[in-house]
Amino acid sequence: MQERDCIFCKIVRGEIPSKKVYEDDQVYAFHDINPVAPVHVLIIPKKHIFGIQHLEPEDECLVGHMFTVAREIAQELGVAPDEELNGGYRLVFNVGKDAGQTVFHLHLHLIGGRSMGWPPG
Ligand code: 5GP
Ligand code: ZN
C-alpha cells in the first residue's frame, strides 16, 4: 500500500474526516470509527510506516513519542489509573493478520473506559 492510497495517510492529510484528539509535527491521534470501548483512540505517525515489521532504527524516537502522547491522551480523557492503579487502559499494536491488523499504517490503539479481560481474544 502506497502513501497515496493509504486510509490513515488520507486522514493525516484531511482527505478523510476524523475526530482529532491530538496533533503535533510527528503524530496524529483520532477516535476510532468503530470503538471497542468507551475510549478508543488511534495514535499514528504522520509519516507512512507500514507497521512494526517495517520500523527502521531512525524511527525509535518516534515510537517512543507515540507512547508519551498516548499517556497524555489517557490522562486527558480520564482513563489513566489512579494512585492505587484503579482504572486504566490498554495500549496495543496489532502486528500482522493473525493479530487482527487490518490497516497497514502503523497505529497504536489506546483502549479504556471499561475493565478488560486477559488474554485478549
Ligand atoms: P487494526 O485492526 O489494523 O489494528 O486497527 C485498525 C483500526 O482502524 C480499527 O479499529 C478500525 O475501526 C479503524 N479504522 C479503520 N478505518 C477507519 C477510518 O476511516 N476512520 C477511523 N477513525 N478509524 C478507522
Ligand atoms: Zn499511510
Side-chain angles (χ1 to χ4, degrees), residues 1-3 6-10 47-49 104-105:
M1 169 93 49
Q2 299 299 310
E3 272 184 65
C6 168
I7 192 166
F8 284 179
C9 283
K10 287 183 179 173
K47 82 165 183 176
H48 182 82
I49 299 174
F104 294 90
H105 177 131

Side-chain angles (χ1 to χ4, degrees), residues 9-98:
C9 283
K10 287 183 179 173
I11 284 176
V12 168
R13 293 196 297 264
E15 293 165 19
I16 293 176
S18 64
K19 287 201 225 160
K20 178 165 94 172
V21 176
Y22 174 86
E23 180 175 18
D24 64 26
D25 57 332
Q26 295 182 79
V27 305
Y28 185 77
F30 55 104
H31 292 284
D32 197 291
I33 205 167
N34 187 21
V36 299
V39 170
H40 188 171
V41 172
L42 301 172
I43 298 111
I44 69 173
K46 285 189 166 175
K47 82 165 183 176
H48 182 82
I49 299 174
F50 199 74
I52 290 281
Q53 291 290 91
H54 296 74
L55 283 177
E56 301 285 349
E58 72 207 32
D59 298 323
E60 283 185 1
C61 277
L62 173 60
V63 174
H65 183 56
M66 289 169 71
F67 281 103
T68 305
V69 166
R71 184 190 62 197
E72 297 307 312
I73 292 172
Q75 194 77 43
E76 201 147 303
L77 297 185
V79 295
D82 65 19
E83 275 149 35
E84 287 162 354
L85 295 181
N86 293 310
Y89 56 92
R90 193 168 283 173
L91 296 176
V92 176
F93 284 109
N94 291 324
V95 186
K97 290 177 185 169
D98 271 8

